[in-house]
Amino acid sequence: MSEITLKYSSSHELESYLLLAKSAKGAACAQLIKELLAAPNTFVFSEVLRMPNVTELKNQPEYASYFSLLELFSYGTYQDYKERASSLPELTQPQIRKLKSLSIVTLASEKHVLEYSNLLHYLDISNVRELEDLMIDAMYKGLIKAKLDQKKSQVEIEYTIGRDLRPGQLDQMLKRLNSWSSTSLNILNTIDEKIEQIKETSNNALQAREEHEKKVEHITSELQNSNGKHKSNERFESRMTIHQFKDGSEISSDRMSKRPLISGRR
């Protein structure tokens, strides 16, 4: 049976009980609750709890325990039933199995890994085979998605369905959400501040680098200009030396040419 089929079956089953609860009163309403708690595909009961005829059972001493039992199936566990069994109607085997399945949902919503030993004790089950059958049935009905690890004797939970909320639990959840929202906002503000600090540091570093590069470029330019002037001076001095040399040679030649010739014999 697919998950969609299971959801449709559960919704259809619940709707039929809601229709019956509109007209059932007293003993008929108590009987309706007994049948609902044994129904194989219904695991949420808050809508039934709010029905006027069901709520009225609280004011009828002979049937008030059935209303309490319906509340227990809504958000309680098998351990809760054991503690209050003397004041509640006796459960049938299908009801016991269903309440144990709902107890698994509660435990799975609190921990991601459930040990076989804890489950055996909590659910009052005597052997592992019975426990694994119950877990597989819960997975098949879509109550939980999990993996049985027989080597480690534990159950690894992926997700669970949501159960009905206890009275006052919604306020607690809202407080937690508000606290989470406030904490998240503070974290986001801190992250924004860090980002701004990083941007400022990065900009400062970039500016410092640009200034350094400008200084290096300026010094390089000055060195090049200085080298250029030095080379010009050298070239000028070389030219002067050459000119002086040439001028000296020309003067010597003139002197030689102007010196009077002396005859060889007197």
Side-chain angles (χ1 to χ4, degrees):
M1 188 181 297
S2 67
E3 184 177 352
I4 295 176
T5 304
L6 283 168
K7 288 182 178 179
Y8 172 79
S9 177
S10 175
S11 176
H12 182 72
E13 190 175 71
L14 178 60
E15 286 178 3
S16 65
Y17 283 106
L18 289 172
L19 289 173
L20 292 172
K22 290 181 178 180
S23 57
K25 295 184 178 182
C29 190
Q31 181 61 32
L32 180 67
I33 289 174
K34 289 174 65 176
E35 294 176 4
L36 173 63
L37 299 182
N41 297 313
T42 302
F43 298 95
V44 290
F45 311 96
S46 58
E47 292 181 80
V48 179
L49 275 171
R50 291 195 295 265
M51 297 294 291
N53 290 340
V54 176
T55 305
E56 184 61 27
L57 293 179
K58 292 191 294 183
N59 303 321
Q60 301 174 19
E62 64 270 37
Y63 304 120
S65 61
Y66 286 94
F67 181 82
S68 297
L69 186 62
L70 181 58
E71 284 186 313
L72 189 144
F73 268 74
S74 294
Y75 41 75
T77 64
Y78 183 68
Q79 284 291 322
D80 295 330
Y81 176 78
K82 288 177 65 176
E83 293 172 1
R84 300 168 53 191
S86 59
S87 62
L88 295 171
E90 185 176 356
L91 298 180
T92 63
Q93 284 303 313
Q95 290 172 339
I96 291 174
R97 186 175 182 85
K98 186 172 185 174
L99 184 55
K100 288 183 177 181
S101 296
L102 290 169
S103 300
I104 291 173
V105 173
T106 297
L107 292 173
S109 66
E110 297 172 352
K111 294 182 179 181
H112 294 297
V113 177
L114 303 176
E115 302 293 337
Y116 276 18
S117 57
N118 294 334
L119 289 169
L120 290 169
H121 175 74
Y122 192 84
L123 300 174
D124 197 18
I125 295 176
S126 59
N127 61 80
V128 172
R129 177 60 183 273
E130 183 181 349
L131 173 63
E132 290 182 339
D133 287 345
L134 184 63
M135 296 296 300
I136 292 171
D137 186 57
M139 287 187 281
Y140 176 75
K141 290 180 177 178
L143 300 181
I144 62 171
K145 184 175 181 181
K147 178 183 177 181
L148 302 181
D149 191 335
Q150 294 177 324
K151 291 184 178 180
K152 295 182 179 179
S153 297
Q154 63 185 24
V155 185
E156 298 175 2
I157 305 297
E158 292 188 24
Y159 73 80
T160 73
I161 65 166
R163 294 193 64 185
D164 297 320
L165 299 177
R166 294 176 180 270
Q169 190 174 359
L170 180 58
D171 293 335
Q172 294 177 0
M173 291 180 66
L174 289 174
K175 287 180 180 179
R176 290 179 182 176
L177 287 173
N178 288 332
S179 176
W180 175 84
S181 177
S182 177
T183 301
S184 299
L185 183 60
N186 291 334
I187 292 173
L188 289 175
N189 289 335
T190 301
I191 292 174
D192 288 339
E193 291 176 0
K194 292 294 184 183
I195 290 174
E196 291 301 321
Q197 291 176 3
I198 292 171
K199 285 182 177 179
E200 184 178 356
T201 302
S202 178
N203 290 334
N204 291 339
L206 180 61
Q207 185 177 356
R209 181 178 178 181
E210 289 176 350
E211 291 178 356
H212 175 72
E213 290 178 350
K214 287 180 179 179
K215 289 180 180 179
V216 171
E217 184 178 354
H218 178 70
I219 293 172
T220 302
S221 177
E222 287 186 345
L223 288 174
Q224 289 176 345
N225 292 334
S226 175
N227 290 336
K229 291 180 179 179
H230 181 68
K231 289 181 179 179
S232 295
N233 292 334
E234 287 183 347
R235 285 197 296 271
F236 178 75
E237 290 177 356
S238 297
R239 287 175 182 174
M240 288 296 294
T241 302
I242 293 171
H243 285 307
Q244 290 175 357
F245 177 78
K246 287 183 176 180
D247 292 343
S249 298
E250 290 176 356
I251 292 171
S252 298
S253 299
D254 290 342
R255 287 178 179 176
M256 290 294 294
S257 61
K258 290 180 179 180
R259 180 179 295 177
L261 294 173
I262 302 174
S263 57
R265 295 180 181 177
R266 289 183 182 180

mmCIF file with all atom_site columns, all heavy atoms in Angstrom, residues 134-147:
data_model
loop_
_atom_site.group_PDB
_atom_site.id
_atom_site.type_symbol
_atom_site.label_atom_id
_atom_site.label_alt_id
_atom_site.label_comp_id
_atom_site.label_asym_id
_atom_site.label_entity_id
_atom_site.label_seq_id
_atom_site.pdbx_PDB_ins_code
_atom_site.Cartn_x
_atom_site.Cartn_y
_atom_site.Cartn_z
_atom_site.occupancy
_atom_site.B_iso_or_equiv
_atom_site.pdbx_formal_charge
_atom_site.auth_seq_id
_atom_site.auth_comp_id
_atom_site.auth_asym_id
_atom_site.auth_atom_id
_atom_site.pdbx_PDB_model_num
ATOM 1   N N   . LEU A 1 134 ? 6.521  -4.706 15.282 1.00 0.00 ? 134 LEU A N   1
ATOM 2   C CA  . LEU A 1 134 ? 5.795  -3.481 15.602 1.00 0.00 ? 134 LEU A CA  1
ATOM 3   C C   . LEU A 1 134 ? 6.426  -2.285 14.877 1.00 0.00 ? 134 LEU A C   1
ATOM 4   O O   . LEU A 1 134 ? 5.710  -1.414 14.351 1.00 0.00 ? 134 LEU A O   1
ATOM 5   C CB  . LEU A 1 134 ? 5.822  -3.241 17.114 1.00 0.00 ? 134 LEU A CB  1
ATOM 6   C CG  . LEU A 1 134 ? 5.024  -2.038 17.629 1.00 0.00 ? 134 LEU A CG  1
ATOM 7   C CD1 . LEU A 1 134 ? 3.536  -2.216 17.346 1.00 0.00 ? 134 LEU A CD1 1
ATOM 8   C CD2 . LEU A 1 134 ? 5.254  -1.840 19.128 1.00 0.00 ? 134 LEU A CD2 1
ATOM 9   N N   . MET A 1 135 ? 7.761  -2.234 14.827 1.00 0.00 ? 135 MET A N   1
ATOM 10  C CA  . MET A 1 135 ? 8.448  -1.148 14.140 1.00 0.00 ? 135 MET A CA  1
ATOM 11  C C   . MET A 1 135 ? 8.159  -1.187 12.638 1.00 0.00 ? 135 MET A C   1
ATOM 12  O O   . MET A 1 135 ? 7.899  -0.134 12.015 1.00 0.00 ? 135 MET A O   1
ATOM 13  C CB  . MET A 1 135 ? 9.965  -1.240 14.373 1.00 0.00 ? 135 MET A CB  1
ATOM 14  C CG  . MET A 1 135 ? 10.400 -1.074 15.815 1.00 0.00 ? 135 MET A CG  1
ATOM 15  S SD  . MET A 1 135 ? 10.042 0.551  16.505 1.00 0.00 ? 135 MET A SD  1
ATOM 16  C CE  . MET A 1 135 ? 10.982 1.593  15.416 1.00 0.00 ? 135 MET A CE  1
ATOM 17  N N   . ILE A 1 136 ? 8.195  -2.360 12.064 1.00 0.00 ? 136 ILE A N   1
ATOM 18  C CA  . ILE A 1 136 ? 7.934  -2.506 10.624 1.00 0.00 ? 136 ILE A CA  1
ATOM 19  C C   . ILE A 1 136 ? 6.498  -2.093 10.311 1.00 0.00 ? 136 ILE A C   1
ATOM 20  O O   . ILE A 1 136 ? 6.236  -1.432 9.300  1.00 0.00 ? 136 ILE A O   1
ATOM 21  C CB  . ILE A 1 136 ? 8.193  -3.963 10.182 1.00 0.00 ? 136 ILE A CB  1
ATOM 22  C CG1 . ILE A 1 136 ? 9.690  -4.265 10.268 1.00 0.00 ? 136 ILE A CG1 1
ATOM 23  C CG2 . ILE A 1 136 ? 7.687  -4.197 8.767  1.00 0.00 ? 136 ILE A CG2 1
ATOM 24  C CD1 . ILE A 1 136 ? 10.035 -5.718 10.054 1.00 0.00 ? 136 ILE A CD1 1
ATOM 25  N N   . ASP A 1 137 ? 5.562  -2.450 11.178 1.00 0.00 ? 137 ASP A N   1
ATOM 26  C CA  . ASP A 1 137 ? 4.166  -2.065 10.986 1.00 0.00 ? 137 ASP A CA  1
ATOM 27  C C   . ASP A 1 137 ? 4.014  -0.535 11.053 1.00 0.00 ? 137 ASP A C   1
ATOM 28  O O   . ASP A 1 137 ? 3.270  0.063  10.267 1.00 0.00 ? 137 ASP A O   1
ATOM 29  C CB  . ASP A 1 137 ? 3.296  -2.731 12.048 1.00 0.00 ? 137 ASP A CB  1
ATOM 30  C CG  . ASP A 1 137 ? 1.809  -2.482 11.824 1.00 0.00 ? 137 ASP A CG  1
ATOM 31  O OD1 . ASP A 1 137 ? 1.313  -2.822 10.733 1.00 0.00 ? 137 ASP A OD1 1
ATOM 32  O OD2 . ASP A 1 137 ? 1.149  -1.935 12.731 1.00 0.00 ? 137 ASP A OD2 1
ATOM 33  N N   . ALA A 1 138 ? 4.734  0.093  11.984 1.00 0.00 ? 138 ALA A N   1
ATOM 34  C CA  . ALA A 1 138 ? 4.689  1.555  12.112 1.00 0.00 ? 138 ALA A CA  1
ATOM 35  C C   . ALA A 1 138 ? 5.260  2.225  10.863 1.00 0.00 ? 138 ALA A C   1
ATOM 36  O O   . ALA A 1 138 ? 4.741  3.250  10.401 1.00 0.00 ? 138 ALA A O   1
ATOM 37  C CB  . ALA A 1 138 ? 5.450  2.000  13.353 1.00 0.00 ? 138 ALA A CB  1
ATOM 38  N N   . MET A 1 139 ? 6.320  1.644  10.311 1.00 0.00 ? 139 MET A N   1
ATOM 39  C CA  . MET A 1 139 ? 6.902  2.192  9.085  1.00 0.00 ? 139 MET A CA  1
ATOM 40  C C   . MET A 1 139 ? 5.965  1.983  7.903  1.00 0.00 ? 139 MET A C   1
ATOM 41  O O   . MET A 1 139 ? 5.794  2.872  7.061  1.00 0.00 ? 139 MET A O   1
ATOM 42  C CB  . MET A 1 139 ? 8.263  1.533  8.816  1.00 0.00 ? 139 MET A CB  1
ATOM 43  C CG  . MET A 1 139 ? 9.366  1.991  9.754  1.00 0.00 ? 139 MET A CG  1
ATOM 44  S SD  . MET A 1 139 ? 11.009 1.364  9.295  1.00 0.00 ? 139 MET A SD  1
ATOM 45  C CE  . MET A 1 139 ? 10.909 -0.308 9.944  1.00 0.00 ? 139 MET A CE  1
ATOM 46  N N   . TYR A 1 140 ? 5.347  0.826  7.838  1.00 0.00 ? 140 TYR A N   1
ATOM 47  C CA  . TYR A 1 140 ? 4.427  0.512  6.752  1.00 0.00 ? 140 TYR A CA  1
ATOM 48  C C   . TYR A 1 140 ? 3.235  1.465  6.743  1.00 0.00 ? 140 TYR A C   1
ATOM 49  O O   . TYR A 1 140 ? 2.749  1.879  5.679  1.00 0.00 ? 140 TYR A O   1
ATOM 50  C CB  . TYR A 1 140 ? 3.951  -0.939 6.899  1.00 0.00 ? 140 TYR A CB  1
ATOM 51  C CG  . TYR A 1 140 ? 2.918  -1.354 5.877  1.00 0.00 ? 140 TYR A CG  1
ATOM 52  C CD1 . TYR A 1 140 ? 3.288  -1.621 4.556  1.00 0.00 ? 140 TYR A CD1 1
ATOM 53  C CD2 . TYR A 1 140 ? 1.570  -1.493 6.224  1.00 0.00 ? 140 TYR A CD2 1
ATOM 54  C CE1 . TYR A 1 140 ? 2.350  -2.001 3.616  1.00 0.00 ? 140 TYR A CE1 1
ATOM 55  C CE2 . TYR A 1 140 ? 0.629  -1.872 5.288  1.00 0.00 ? 140 TYR A CE2 1
ATOM 56  C CZ  . TYR A 1 140 ? 1.018  -2.129 3.984  1.00 0.00 ? 140 TYR A CZ  1
ATOM 57  O OH  . TYR A 1 140 ? 0.077  -2.512 3.053  1.00 0.00 ? 140 TYR A OH  1
ATOM 58  N N   . LYS A 1 141 ? 2.770  1.855  7.924  1.00 0.00 ? 141 LYS A N   1
ATOM 59  C CA  . LYS A 1 141 ? 1.616  2.741  8.020  1.00 0.00 ? 141 LYS A CA  1
ATOM 60  C C   . LYS A 1 141 ? 2.001  4.218  7.929  1.00 0.00 ? 141 LYS A C   1
ATOM 61  O O   . LYS A 1 141 ? 1.143  5.097  8.009  1.00 0.00 ? 141 LYS A O   1
ATOM 62  C CB  . LYS A 1 141 ? 0.874  2.489  9.335  1.00 0.00 ? 141 LYS A CB  1
ATOM 63  C CG  . LYS A 1 141 ? 0.169  1.135  9.349  1.00 0.00 ? 141 LYS A CG  1
ATOM 64  C CD  . LYS A 1 141 ? -0.573 0.902  10.657 1.00 0.00 ? 141 LYS A CD  1
ATOM 65  C CE  . LYS A 1 141 ? -1.328 -0.430 10.593 1.00 0.00 ? 141 LYS A CE  1
ATOM 66  N NZ  . LYS A 1 141 ? -2.029 -0.723 11.857 1.00 0.00 ? 141 LYS A NZ  1
ATOM 67  N N   . GLY A 1 142 ? 3.285  4.499  7.742  1.00 0.00 ? 142 GLY A N   1
ATOM 68  C CA  . GLY A 1 142 ? 3.727  5.868  7.549  1.00 0.00 ? 142 GLY A CA  1
ATOM 69  C C   . GLY A 1 142 ? 3.884  6.670  8.822  1.00 0.00 ? 142 GLY A C   1
ATOM 70  O O   . GLY A 1 142 ? 4.025  7.895  8.776  1.00 0.00 ? 142 GLY A O   1
ATOM 71  N N   . LEU A 1 143 ? 3.879  6.014  9.972  1.00 0.00 ? 143 LEU A N   1
ATOM 72  C CA  . LEU A 1 143 ? 4.041  6.732  11.234 1.00 0.00 ? 143 LEU A CA  1
ATOM 73  C C   . LEU A 1 143 ? 5.474  7.220  11.401 1.00 0.00 ? 143 LEU A C   1
ATOM 74  O O   . LEU A 1 143 ? 5.712  8.303  11.943 1.00 0.00 ? 143 LEU A O   1
ATOM 75  C CB  . LEU A 1 143 ? 3.662  5.829  12.415 1.00 0.00 ? 143 LEU A CB  1
ATOM 76  C CG  . LEU A 1 143 ? 2.227  5.288  12.431 1.00 0.00 ? 143 LEU A CG  1
ATOM 77  C CD1 . LEU A 1 143 ? 2.002  4.436  13.663 1.00 0.00 ? 143 LEU A CD1 1
ATOM 78  C CD2 . LEU A 1 143 ? 1.230  6.428  12.383 1.00 0.00 ? 143 LEU A CD2 1
ATOM 79  N N   . ILE A 1 144 ? 6.401  6.431  10.952 1.00 0.00 ? 144 ILE A N   1
ATOM 80  C CA  . ILE A 1 144 ? 7.818  6.793  11.014 1.00 0.00 ? 144 ILE A CA  1
ATOM 81  C C   . ILE A 1 144 ? 8.513  6.300  9.749  1.00 0.00 ? 144 ILE A C   1
ATOM 82  O O   . ILE A 1 144 ? 8.005  5.419  9.053  1.00 0.00 ? 144 ILE A O   1
ATOM 83  C CB  . ILE A 1 144 ? 8.538  6.182  12.240 1.00 0.00 ? 144 ILE A CB  1
ATOM 84  C CG1 . ILE A 1 144 ? 8.501  4.642  12.166 1.00 0.00 ? 144 ILE A CG1 1
ATOM 85  C CG2 . ILE A 1 144 ? 7.945  6.671  13.540 1.00 0.00 ? 144 ILE A CG2 1
ATOM 86  C CD1 . ILE A 1 144 ? 9.364  3.951  13.202 1.00 0.00 ? 144 ILE A CD1 1
ATOM 87  N N   . LYS A 1 145 ? 9.645  6.917  9.462  1.00 0.00 ? 145 LYS A N   1
ATOM 88  C CA  . LYS A 1 145 ? 10.549 6.385  8.446  1.00 0.00 ? 145 LYS A CA  1
ATOM 89  C C   . LYS A 1 145 ? 11.854 6.107  9.158  1.00 0.00 ? 145 LYS A C   1
ATOM 90  O O   . LYS A 1 145 ? 12.444 7.013  9.750  1.00 0.00 ? 145 LYS A O   1
ATOM 91  C CB  . LYS A 1 145 ? 10.752 7.387  7.315  1.00 0.00 ? 145 LYS A CB  1
ATOM 92  C CG  . LYS A 1 145 ? 11.623 6.824  6.178  1.00 0.00 ? 145 LYS A CG  1
ATOM 93  C CD  . LYS A 1 145 ? 11.714 7.800  5.017  1.00 0.00 ? 145 LYS A CD  1
ATOM 94  C CE  . LYS A 1 145 ? 12.555 7.212  3.891  1.00 0.00 ? 145 LYS A CE  1
ATOM 95  N NZ  . LYS A 1 145 ? 12.678 8.160  2.749  1.00 0.00 ? 145 LYS A NZ  1
ATOM 96  N N   . ALA A 1 146 ? 12.270 4.864  9.145  1.00 0.00 ? 146 ALA A N   1
ATOM 97  C CA  . ALA A 1 146 ? 13.429 4.480  9.954  1.00 0.00 ? 146 ALA A CA  1
ATOM 98  C C   . ALA A 1 146 ? 14.136 3.279  9.338  1.00 0.00 ? 146 ALA A C   1
ATOM 99  O O   . ALA A 1 146 ? 13.646 2.661  8.393  1.00 0.00 ? 146 ALA A O   1
ATOM 100 C CB  . ALA A 1 146 ? 12.983 4.153  11.376 1.00 0.00 ? 146 ALA A CB  1
ATOM 101 N N   . LYS A 1 147 ? 15.300 2.998  9.914  1.00 0.00 ? 147 LYS A N   1
ATOM 102 C CA  . LYS A 1 147 ? 16.096 1.844  9.485  1.00 0.00 ? 147 LYS A CA  1
ATOM 103 C C   . LYS A 1 147 ? 16.424 0.998  10.706 1.00 0.00 ? 147 LYS A C   1
ATOM 104 O O   . LYS A 1 147 ? 16.926 1.514  11.709 1.00 0.00 ? 147 LYS A O   1
ATOM 105 C CB  . LYS A 1 147 ? 17.385 2.323  8.811  1.00 0.00 ? 147 LYS A CB  1
ATOM 106 C CG  . LYS A 1 147 ? 18.307 1.199  8.380  1.00 0.00 ? 147 LYS A CG  1
ATOM 107 C CD  . LYS A 1 147 ? 19.594 1.758  7.783  1.00 0.00 ? 147 LYS A CD  1
ATOM 108 C CE  . LYS A 1 147 ? 20.558 0.640  7.410  1.00 0.00 ? 147 LYS A CE  1
ATOM 109 N NZ  . LYS A 1 147 ? 21.830 1.180  6.855  1.00 0.00 ? 147 LYS A NZ  1
#
